[in-house]
Amino acid sequence: MTAQSLIERRFNVLGRHSPLFYEKPLQLVRGEGVWVWDADGKRYLDAYNNVPHVGHCHPRVVEALRRQAGILNSHTRYLDETVIDYAEHLLSTFHPTLQRVFLTCTGSESNELALRIARETTGHMGVIATDFAYHGNTAAVSQISSVFTPASKRGPYVRYVPVIDPYRQRNGRRDEQLADFYIQQLQQAIDDLARNGVKLAAVLFCTAFSSEGLPDIPKTYFPKVAAAVHAAGGLVIADEVQAGFGRFGSHMWGHARHDMVPDIVTMGKPMGNGHPLAGVVTTAALMETFTSQNMYFNTFGGNEVSAAVGHAVLNVLRDENLLANALTVGEYVLTGMRRLQQKYPIIGDVRGQGMFFAVEIDDAARTKKIVNRMRERGVLISRIGPHDNILKIRPPMVFTKDNADVLLNTLDSVLSELA
Ligand SMILES: Cc1ncc(COP(=O)(O)O)c(C=O)c1O
């Protein structure tokens, strides 16, 4: 079976618009740790995927799944200790005010539920997101996912604010002034909703602004977002689908890294290491108000197998010290990237923390070429940002310094050809 004939078969059943990475799409057949193999037996270093958070096919996660699947997997309306153990462990990683969880299956579903909770409990309808955000694919969530939804389809209850961009938009301003400028934009969006008779239900932000390009966010920004939103009678929804589960090394959650306590947190991708597990964490009061008026249940979300898998992910993060690993290996990668920045003037900025890096390249076409050339050389990365010119590097948390050397040396060699 050639890759080309598989692509044709895929088009015939999944359609031509179901997205595929790379000019030459990859057929991956196996994964282990930070490595994946294609159908020809070629090995690739995975420096992109956050879904296999603790590494592809981590033996403890695989064993937890296999074991529980062989014991019981029904649905979520029976008492089950595995589920409660998991929920207790998960909630122990949150601020003491955030002590209730809904388990779901996808990030989209989590954001949909978060919007319902915010709208129901505030009695307001307005939602604010950034002007280059992706939060999911349900009807309500796609309205606020500005990156893929044309302005005409975004609806009267939604407003967008520009994403904070210290690299391109600093214009001599200090961090605090820059944060204040973007808070003014947020206030204008709140006021614009009000002028149109719409009160604010929530702001929904990714706490890393990852689709937006992973900007370095000034310390005062998120606490001021929370203050402005609360003053308007709305709630803060922190989307941790990309930033969560220790990706930044210093903290388990992106909002904690910014000293902000949200009202609602949504999670997904890394939570089940590839198994469809996601969730919404909130306060006891908000859950009580919402669920006393809306019977909420979810057939698959947090079933026995999902809980066993999710728990194994948390245990591996803890037992293998993967947050600390993200910090030390992350520093090593950043230092190497900054060396490349000195060598190649086409690199405008290097930023990131833990296992998440953004490298600004001077132009979008060249960025695309770099990503494809890296894939040919056996290293998987991608690109992000409103100008499509930022290399997105976000490996599994078990990435080592040796892996980082492979990434940096390959990038060096690709840049030497394309710079
Ligand atoms: C920040 C963020 N939120 C939500 C989602 C939606 O998650 P899912 O694809 O699991 O529905 C994504 C997916 O890319 C995301 O990046």
Side-chain angles (χ1 to χ4, degrees), residues 106-108 111 134-136 206 239 241-242 269:
T106 68
S108 302
N111 282 326
Y134 182 71
H135 294 290
C206 164
D239 182 330
V241 167
Q242 295 216 31
K269 290 183 193 278

Side-chain angles (χ1 to χ4, degrees), residues 103-340:
L103 294 169
T104 66
C105 307
T106 68
S108 302
E109 202 188 343
S110 294
N111 282 326
E112 176 78 19
L113 176 58
L115 288 179
R116 283 185 66 194
I117 296 170
R119 286 176 162 159
E120 186 83 27
T121 57
T122 60
H124 305 164
M125 281 301 285
V127 180
I128 296 174
T130 74
D131 59 6
F132 201 78
Y134 182 71
H135 294 290
N137 57 22
T138 66
V141 176
S142 63
Q143 281 195 327
I144 57 164
S145 292
S146 44
V147 65
F148 294 132
T149 307
S152 59
K153 295 192 178 160
R154 292 179 191 169
Y157 298 114
V158 181
R159 293 292 180 279
Y160 300 96
V161 289
V163 61
I164 193 158
D165 184 355
Y167 173 59
R168 285 159 185 273
Q169 304 294 337
R170 182 173 288 282
N171 300 328
R173 289 172 289 191
R174 293 192 317 274
D175 267 8
E176 179 121 19
Q177 294 170 308
L178 196 65
D180 287 347
F181 171 78
Y182 284 93
I183 294 296
Q184 277 165 25
Q185 313 275 313
L186 175 64
Q187 192 57 52
Q188 281 166 19
I190 295 170
D191 295 344
D192 187 50
L193 282 170
R195 263 195 306 280
N196 287 279
V198 179
K199 290 185 180 157
L200 183 67
V203 160
L204 171 46
F205 282 166
C206 164
T207 57
F209 290 136
S210 52
S211 301
E212 294 91 333
L214 200 73
D216 285 328
I217 304 167
K219 220 30 200 160
T220 53
Y221 177 71
F222 269 115
K224 284 188 174 175
V225 167
V229 170
H230 290 150
L235 302 179
V236 176
I237 304 171
D239 182 330
E240 296 282 356
V241 167
Q242 295 216 31
F245 292 92
R247 171 105 341 232
F248 287 95
S250 56
H251 297 82
M252 185 72 168
W253 304 107
H255 60 266
R257 179 171 160 247
H258 294 291
D259 280 338
M260 194 248 299
V261 183
D263 304 289
I264 304 174
V265 179
T266 60
M267 303 162 285
K269 290 183 193 278
M271 193 166 173
N273 217 50
H275 183 81
L277 173 61
V280 178
V281 165
T282 189
T283 65
L286 286 174
M287 179 186 266
E288 182 56 32
T289 308
F290 178 73
T291 50
S292 63
Q293 294 160 20
N294 302 272
M295 202 285 284
Y296 181 85
F297 90 98
N298 191 316
T299 299
F300 297 119
N303 65 25
E304 299 89 337
V305 168
S306 299
V309 167
H311 211 162
V313 171
L314 290 182
N315 289 337
V316 171
L317 278 174
R318 180 194 60 208
D319 296 346
E320 297 187 13
N321 290 319
L322 292 183
L323 274 67
N325 182 65
L327 270 187
T328 43
V329 177
E331 252 332 290
Y332 184 79
V333 172
L334 282 171
T335 306
M337 292 288 179
R338 292 195 182 111
R339 257 198 318 270
L340 294 178

